[in-house]
Amino acid sequence: MKFLGPRGYNDLQLDIVGFLAILGESSVLVQSQVAALSYFFLLPRLVPAPQALIRTSRPERLESTTCKVLGAYSGGKRDDVYYLAHLIHKGNSLPEYSVRCESIRSANGKSSEVKAKLFGPITWLSILGCSMSIALFAIAIALDDGFALVAILALSFLSTLVGIGNRWSLQLQKRVAERNIPCADVVLFYPNGSFLIIKCDENVARQLYWHPEKCKYMVGDTAYRAISLCGTLILMFGVICLGNATIDLQVGFAASYIILNAAYWVVAALPPRWNWDLSYYEVKTLKLAGPEKNETFTEALWKAIAITQTADWVRVGSVAPVSKGWENWIKDAEAMAKADPPVWDDKEDVPAVFPTWNWNEALTTYLDASPANQV
């Protein structure tokens, strides 16, 4: 069985190599937003599926996650948690019916800018793509391959052009007015029945939970559309030149794009936190007596009420079922929490102990006595 013709290696057909240059769109898109925060994003380099970065419009904010965001004392309510808050608190790591309490504050002496990590995984992707561009550029000159040389220049500087169009910085809301306001603590209630109680000041609450992160782009919308048009033309021109390169350079391009696609897929599978510099915020998990995960939603709700010492957020967010029995139970839970609130000793780092109360028996009594259960 033969694979090559009489001319051997020269009979190998790699016209399909142009398609390799535009494969891998999903793995590029998943990290494109944080990548555009880094200056390494402007490096001339090979990028798999560069058309993924040539869009008709750019996102105005980062992706949010389904979760009820409730002001413990302010009465505020949202139906989704913003990207940075979800990332900082590792919301995906919360087991079902779990309760966690964390304090967060802005770090003293740190830059107020949330940015991409200087040498995170996406940085090494940029360096890898740039190295491959340099290597292929040198080989094209050595082999006197004009089409390959033009293809390398077009596809490499396309990433710089697109990088300028997508380059942005993160804007976080700052409090301007100075007036007396309720305590800024926040409760995050996730769909799996878990609660995350956040103790913070008003500035942090506004930045992470109440005002969406804004993407401030380097260039305006009109300039971006012009860049997208030029980028599209350069991409098509580069792929045409790539198809007319010699077999040696096509093999080099094919190997480069296969390696790059594999690398982008690996980085896309890594935890997103690895790409972000979140050192501006200091997060501390406050210890609670007993296990973090609870057997039932009712137990988790009782602990969350005990920590906040109020049930107003439960009513505002419709967290519990609406019935006379549940309302009576919530009132009792609130009263018990205020009578004997959990207290943390920061110096000794002693876990806070919950009030002694048979929450399960109380709920059973109220539900059995409710009109809906009477015949």
Side-chain angles (χ1 to χ4, degrees), residues 314-342:
V314 178
R315 302 180 183 95
V316 170
S318 301
V319 174
V322 180
S323 70
K324 188 64 177 177
W326 271 98
E327 180 58 31
N328 289 332
W329 181 86
I330 291 171
K331 288 179 181 179
D332 277 5
E334 186 175 28
M336 291 296 300
K338 289 180 178 179
D340 187 16

Side-chain angles (χ1 to χ4, degrees), residues 67-73 81 85-86 88-91 94 99-105 183-190 195-202 204-205 208-210 281-286 304 307-308 344:
C67 169
K68 285 188 177 182
V69 181
L70 305 166
Y73 312 99
V81 60
H86 185 66
I88 290 170
H89 297 296
K90 304 177 184 178
L94 287 171
V99 178
R100 184 184 300 168
C101 184
E102 294 181 346
S103 65
I104 180 171
R105 64 178 183 178
C183 180
D185 291 0
V186 175
V187 178
L188 304 184
F189 174 47
Y190 282 92
F195 294 90
L196 181 57
I197 295 90
I198 312 297
K199 294 186 174 294
C200 60
D201 61 29
E202 180 64 19
V204 172
L208 295 179
Y209 312 109
W210 300 119
Y281 295 107
E282 292 181 351
V283 181
K284 179 182 179 182
T285 300
L286 303 179
I307 294 171
T308 58
W344 286 272

Side-chain angles (χ1 to χ4, degrees), residues 74-142:
S74 66
K77 177 186 176 183
R78 290 195 56 85
D79 291 324
D80 54 1
V81 60
Y82 297 130
Y83 183 85
L84 285 182
H86 185 66
L87 198 66
I88 290 170
H89 297 296
K90 304 177 184 178
N92 289 333
S93 67
L94 287 171
E96 188 178 46
Y97 305 144
S98 61
V99 178
R100 184 184 300 168
C101 184
E102 294 181 346
S103 65
I104 180 171
R105 64 178 183 178
S106 54
N108 294 326
K110 292 279 188 178
S111 169
S112 60
E113 184 180 4
V114 176
K115 52 193 175 183
K117 193 171 288 185
L118 182 59
F119 288 106
I122 56 173
T123 299
W124 295 110
L125 285 180
S126 298
I127 294 174
L128 176 62
C130 184
S131 301
M132 289 184 170
S133 289
I134 294 172
L136 290 173
F137 182 80
I139 295 173
I141 292 178

Side-chain angles (χ1 to χ4, degrees), residues 234-269:
I234 292 173
L235 175 59
M236 292 189 292
F237 182 69
V239 171
I240 290 172
C241 291
L242 179 57
N244 287 278
T246 60
I247 189 65
D248 296 309
L249 266 299
Q250 287 199 20
V251 169
F253 271 106
S256 297
Y257 278 115
I258 289 172
I259 293 172
L260 282 172
N261 265 294
Y264 271 79
W265 272 107
V266 169
V267 172

Side-chain angles (χ1 to χ4, degrees), residues 276-290:
W276 288 87
D277 181 359
L278 302 171
S279 59
Y280 176 60
Y281 295 107
E282 292 181 351
V283 181
K284 179 182 179 182
T285 300
L286 303 179
K287 291 185 178 180
L288 299 171

Side-chain angles (χ1 to χ4, degrees), residues 4 50 97 122 127 154 169 176 214-215 226 287 307 320 350 360:
L4 300 176
Y97 305 144
I122 56 173
I127 294 174
S169 59
V176 178
K214 292 183 179 179
C215 301
K287 291 185 178 180
I307 294 171
V350 176
N360 190 38

